[in-house]
Amino acid sequence: MTALTLSTAGAATLRADAIVVGVAKGAKGPAVAPGAEAVDKAYDGKLASVLESLGATGAEGEATKLPAPSGLKVPIVIAVGLGTAPEKDEAYGAETLRRAAGVAARTLSGAKKAAFALPVEAAEDLAAVAEGALLGAYAFTAYRGTEKTAKSGDDKGDSGVKQPLGEITLLGAKPRDKAHKAAVERAISLTEEINRARDLINTPPNDLYPETFAAIAAAAGKEHGVKVQITDEKALVKGGYGGLLGVGQGSEHGPRLVRLEYTHAKAKKTIALIGKGITYDSGGISLKPPGHNETMKCDMSGAAAVFAAVISAARLGLHVNVTGWLALAENMPSGTATRPGDVLRMYSGKTVEVLNTDAEGRLVLADAITRASEEKPDAIVDVATLTGAMVVALGSRTFGIMSNDEAFRTSVHEIAEEVGEASWPMPLPTELRKGMDSPTADIANMGERMGGGLVAGLFLKEFVGEGITWAHLDIAGPAFHEGAPYGYTPKGGTGSSIRTLVRLAERTAAGDLG
């Protein structure tokens, strides 16, 4: 993990491999952002002109590298775009700072130390820069190079892939200010767990399967004071968890249901978080077509998000009880796999006719939702890479939110927007429920093709305990990024929804959700 420190040193005196400054789109060309005054002075007040001559505009996502003048003790200056400059007396938005810091950290991969002199006024600005920089500095290198090169500390290893930026120093902060210190400590704890979730999502399925995922959760729980209970295959059979067993029965790696429990003596409310944890999804007997299997190691992103959120709540010492449920299974085709037409008896006692074995996530989630409902939490939120239909509806960067309570859905949406995660509230049209009627069982796992993401939400709603507020986050689009990195978002696992879940826990602890 990249180290992060606060410093009161001036930009002109700090020694590092590079210094990062912000540049905005001004009315007459690029404009140097606050925080870069000392750097601009070293260029005789002509930094904006120099950047313009190099083609910089200040647009978001832009990074311009230029040699530092003799007045600085760094060899390189990185100017990152902040987009349109805010109106007078207005500050840059948190997400703007977060993305700019991420761009800078990615640009500086391979460097040992960099100073960030971006515009920070309030503790919230500092938190945004810290989050963006630490998330942008992420790289998944566990399977790169040889053991020998990894031990030698070679920056690149055999593969030529650069290591993440080693150390970040934030300028303009107040290390002795309680608010500034707390903001950075929170950012470090949160991003460490987001990056751990990214590692899990990126880990090949031959190494990450239900048993190994459960073991990782148990180890983290022990480290951070979170109780972990693992229900193995035999116990699942005894308990009647037909959904988890039905999905996992085609694999040599048996399913698991992992319960993580964080409690606080001053907590007044309890939230239950449930994550879909399909460690590899082949589609089962309803095999996915060519070109759709290669990234299906990411189908446990919901479980990774829940795991990260519970551990984050513990590390932050939040005054709320948080229970996490990881519904883990591997969906494989074999002679023992569930067939289309089979009927499963779920943990709730309901029977489900399986019309498509590739609609498996809702089956494992249904068992976990029923089990979590028995404990009567104040709210349940499930997170899943559930449907391709949601990607069709909202694209690859936005997750959908469904709920049995409109006010709660609105709150979750507002929280997601607040922390910089794109989301959109989606309906649960009652007329779509009829499409899941089965002549054989209580319900089928498939309904109408159109509105498939909403159909999946309606299916899950059937298993929520009576009187319990519930929301469903379909993160199928943003959970795994296949394109070029942008902002603080890497290629591969992203850690989508973790910041939303953690802020939900914080708001619940503060009593802001009723």
Side-chain angles (χ1 to χ4, degrees):
M1 182 74 180
T2 301
L4 186 143
T5 58
L6 303 181
S7 176
T8 56
T13 60
L14 190 74
R15 294 184 182 275
D17 295 325
I19 188 165
V20 176
V21 298
V23 57
K25 293 177 68 174
K28 298 180 180 179
V32 177
E37 291 83 0
V39 175
D40 189 30
K41 184 178 180 181
Y43 284 95
D44 297 325
K46 298 179 180 179
L47 178 55
S49 298
V50 173
L51 288 169
E52 187 171 23
S53 69
L54 293 173
T57 66
E60 283 196 25
E62 189 177 77
T64 306
K65 186 181 294 187
L66 60 162
S70 57
L72 302 178
K73 295 186 181 298
V74 297
I76 295 171
V77 173
I78 304 288
V80 290
L82 296 169
T84 303
E87 298 294 329
K88 188 177 180 180
D89 299 328
E90 290 186 6
Y92 288 92
E95 183 63 5
T96 295
L97 295 175
R98 200 178 283 120
R99 290 177 180 175
V103 169
R106 288 194 294 104
T107 302
L108 287 163
S109 60
K112 292 182 179 179
K113 181 179 179 179
F116 282 58
L118 293 172
V120 291
E121 296 180 12
E124 291 77 11
D125 302 331
L126 190 63
V129 173
E131 283 181 22
L134 291 170
L135 292 175
Y138 172 82
F140 185 62
T141 59
Y143 292 80
R144 297 284 192 176
T146 65
E147 184 177 356
K148 183 177 179 180
T149 57
K151 289 181 178 179
S152 71
D154 188 337
D155 282 345
K156 294 186 178 181
D158 287 351
S159 66
V161 175
K162 291 182 179 179
Q163 295 296 311
L165 172 61
E167 183 181 345
I168 295 166
T169 299
L170 300 185
L171 305 182
K174 302 172 184 176
R176 296 184 180 180
D177 183 280
K178 289 184 178 179
H180 281 213
K181 186 178 179 181
V184 169
E185 288 177 350
R186 178 189 182 278
I188 291 172
S189 296
L190 178 61
T191 54
E192 282 182 353
E193 295 310 319
I194 292 173
N195 286 337
R196 182 186 350 219
R198 288 172 167 181
D199 282 347
L200 287 168
I201 297 165
N202 290 327
T203 298
N206 57 317
D207 284 342
L208 188 75
Y209 42 90
E211 184 178 0
T212 54
F213 195 156
I216 291 168
K222 185 176 182 181
E223 179 183 357
H224 295 290
V226 172
K227 294 180 181 179
V228 179
Q229 178 184 355
I230 300 171
T231 305
D232 63 15
E233 198 168 3
K234 290 183 179 179
L236 290 172
V237 171
K238 186 176 180 180
Y241 291 86
L244 275 157
L245 292 165
V247 174
Q249 70 188 42
S251 173
E252 292 184 1
H253 301 298
R256 298 287 188 275
L257 179 62
V258 180
R259 180 182 184 274
L260 301 99
E261 181 184 26
Y262 162 71
T263 58
H264 195 284
K266 296 183 179 180
K268 294 182 179 180
K269 292 202 171 185
T270 298
I271 57 175
L273 308 177
I274 301 171
K276 173 187 172 183
I278 304 300
T279 57
Y280 182 74
D281 182 20
S282 69
I285 296 297
S286 305
L287 193 67
K288 292 180 183 291
H292 289 73
N293 276 305
E294 290 76 5
T295 60
M296 280 299 103
K297 63 182 181 180
C298 79
D299 213 19
M300 37 59 67
S301 296
V306 167
F307 169 48
V310 177
I311 299 299
S312 291
R315 293 183 63 172
L316 296 172
L318 302 183
H319 294 186
V320 61
N321 297 328
V322 185
T323 304
W325 300 86
L326 315 183
L328 308 177
E330 186 177 65
N331 188 23
M332 296 291 286
S334 73
T336 61
T338 294
R339 297 151 293 228
D342 282 356
V343 174
L344 306 177
R345 184 170 294 279
M346 310 294 282
Y347 179 72
S348 67
K350 287 185 179 181
T351 55
V352 176
E353 182 181 12
V354 179
L355 299 180
N356 188 325
T357 63
D358 196 23
E360 85 299 328
R362 64 199 71 183
L363 298 175
V364 301
L365 286 173
D367 274 355
I369 288 172
T370 303
R371 176 64 186 87
S373 295
E374 290 179 341
E375 299 182 359
K376 301 190 182 303
D378 294 288
I380 290 175
V381 179
D382 76 74
V383 188
T385 48
L386 204 60
T387 65
M390 196 56 57
V391 185
V392 173
L394 298 178
S396 61
R397 297 190 183 184
T398 304
F399 62 77
I401 307 171
M402 286 155 262
S403 179
N404 61 1
D405 183 294
E406 188 173 343
F408 188 59
R409 183 186 66 180
T410 299
S411 293
V412 174
H413 178 226
E414 290 174 348
I415 287 169
E417 296 297 307
E418 175 190 340
V419 301
E421 294 197 301
S423 67
W424 197 250
M426 303 291 283
L428 289 172
T430 54
E431 68 271 14
L432 292 179
R433 169 61 182 84
K434 185 172 178 58
M436 289 185 284
D437 286 348
S438 166
T440 307
D442 295 324
I443 189 172
N445 76 328
M446 291 291 289
E448 295 182 29
R449 180 171 177 269
M450 300 302 174
L454 312 182
V455 170
L458 285 166
F459 180 91
L460 296 178
K461 183 182 176 184
E462 296 271 328
F463 297 87
V464 178
E466 186 175 353
I468 298 176
T469 300
W470 157 80
H472 161 56
L473 312 186
D474 190 334
I475 62 170
F480 195 84
H481 179 56
E482 295 186 64
Y486 66 92
Y488 52 84
T489 301
K491 186 180 180 69
T494 65
S496 174
S497 78
I498 296 171
R499 286 179 286 151
T500 297
L501 296 178
V502 173
R503 184 55 58 85
L504 173 66
E506 289 173 327
R507 292 269 294 269
T508 303
D512 293 342
L513 290 177

